[in-house]
Structure formats: C-alpha cells, structure tokens
Amino acid sequence: MSESGKPTLAVWKFASCDGCQLSLLDLEDELLALAGAVQLAEFREATSGVVAGPYDLSLVEGSITTPHDAERIQDVRRASRALVTIGACATAGGIQALRNFADVREFVTAVYASPDYISTLETSTPISAHVHVDFELHGCPIDKRQLLEVVTAFLHGRRPGIPSTSVCTQCKARGLVCVTVAHGTPCLGPVTHAGCGALCPAYNRGCYGCFGPMETPNTAALVPRLRELGLTERDVGRVFQTFNAGAEPFREAAVRDG
Ligand code: SF4
Ligand code: SF4
C-alpha cells in the first residue's frame, strides 16, 4: 500500500514493442477511475514519476533476451506481491523467440556493424522461465477488457475471470459462421486461446494464433485439416512460428509438422 492507502501498481517493460502497455492507456472510459483507485508507482510509458517498492501488483511486458534483463526480473519479482505477465512476449517469448530456432550470433553478425557491442542471450524466454508468475494474460497485443478484469481481480484479491477455452467458443458465442467449414479458410481458432472475441473470423479471416495456445490444444488433430485445406509442410511450420513460436504446444507443432 502507498502512503495514501491505495494499492501500488507498477508496469515493467522487457524485450517488447510496448503495445501491451498501451492497452492500459487505451482504457479510455475506465482510465480515470483506475488511476484514482491505485497509486501508479512505476509506468515509464505514462509518467516519469517513480515510487519505491514494494508493489502490490506488477504488470510485466516483454521477454528475457539479455543477461541484464535476466537479473532485473529477479529484482522486480522480489519487489512485487503479485506479478502478472501481459502479452505474447512475456508469456511465450514473443516474435523474438524465433531466435530459439536459429543461431542468434548469425543474426547479430548480419544486422550490426559492430557485433562485439551486442550483449544478448541465445534465446528469448518468457518471464515464467525465470521467476514465479501469479497469472499470465495472453495476446499480441492483450485485450484491454481482459486487462481491466485482471487488474480489478488482483486488487480485490480474487482470481481473474478469464476463459481458458479456444477462439472457437467465442465464434459460437457471437453466432459467427465457421470460416473453415463455410469457406475452407485455414484457421488456428481451434487451438488458440480465447480473448480477442473472435476478431479475425468476424471479418471472414482465419485466426493466426496471436493469443497463443489454449489450455490442452490438440494441434495434432488440426494439422491434417490444415494440410487438406492446401497448406504445405512449410506453411504449417510457419503458421505456428509467429508471435507465440516459443509457446511449447506451438513450438512442438512447428517442429513436428513443419
Ligand atoms: S505481445 Fe505483441 S503487442 Fe505485446 S509487447 Fe509483445 S509484440 Fe508488442
Ligand atoms: S482471431 Fe486469432 S489471430 Fe485474430 S485476433 Fe483473435 S487470436 Fe488473434
């Protein structure tokens, strides 16, 4: 708690694009109420003001890609009563986890004129690979309504009401016609975590898995259907190697079937 008696909220950035932090600022209708209910102790995207810890709730965006960040996340964990990771970078390593399938030194040599100055790890890993995480919120970016639910839940000491089912359940809830059945469009909805409200199928597009794997996804059953719809082995490998390439079920499918 802060001196004002309000719970303290800290927002931390690791290797990421800032898009998930911006989801908090994007809560236009609720932002003033939220700002009045907590003391913002650390949120560099929004304010230069900093309040020393400990913090009642830390939201962590981004993956661990440098030795310095591997140490910094330990400090954040020690200073946080509850730690929630937000987004595909923090929960699965993000698009930068594509390095996990290659030799990062080759990338560094190809991209930087003076690679000796670059200090980076061989892999991009989620926060949960380094410290205990109290809750993971998926998406690239996360959904702002789900973020509000998670913050509200932790401030009230209850579990967040976030479904662990697939995008398909959200299609059904919205009464959307299945894009695969009706149009033969390849779709990762059956194995992807719910949360976006079936955004892509609502526009007659297949899901490409930006919310990462749902709980117990059956990728082995989906892949033959994707192949029937015209995807080559290489295509299958590529659809599972995007924002959540480092999430184990998608990594496994890419290696097994790609
Ligand atoms: S999960 Fe996506 S939107 Fe969020 S920080 Fe990472 S790249 Fe950006
Ligand atoms: S339908 Fe799939 S790709 Fe589209 S926003 Fe939702 S989870 Fe992301």
Side-chain angles (χ1 to χ4, degrees), residues 77-145:
R77 177 66 264 189
R78 274 191 288 274
S80 308
R81 293 199 175 88
L83 188 156
V84 172
T85 49
I86 56 172
C89 296
T91 60
I95 193 77
Q96 57 273 28
L98 288 176
R99 70 168 65 184
N100 303 1
F101 298 82
D103 182 351
V104 73
R105 283 163 302 190
E106 280 184 26
F107 295 152
V108 170
T109 309
V111 171
Y112 296 99
S114 303
D116 292 348
Y117 292 116
I118 304 301
S119 171
T120 192
L121 296 171
E122 295 282 324
T123 55
S124 170
T125 43
I127 300 300
S128 62
H130 299 265
V131 296
H132 172 71
V133 170
D134 294 290
F135 191 81
E136 292 186 316
L137 185 62
H138 300 273
C140 180
I142 53 172
D143 178 85
K144 63 179 182 179
R145 289 151 301 188

Side-chain angles (χ1 to χ4, degrees), residues 16-20 61 87-89 139-141:
S16 59
C17 82
D18 289 30
C20 288
E61 175 195 85
C89 296
C140 180

Side-chain angles (χ1 to χ4, degrees), residues 140 167 188-189 192-193 195-201 205-212:
C140 180
V167 171
L188 293 191
T192 298
H193 207 290
C196 67
L199 186 60
C200 296
R205 293 184 55 189
C207 168
Y208 51 90
C210 80
F211 269 61

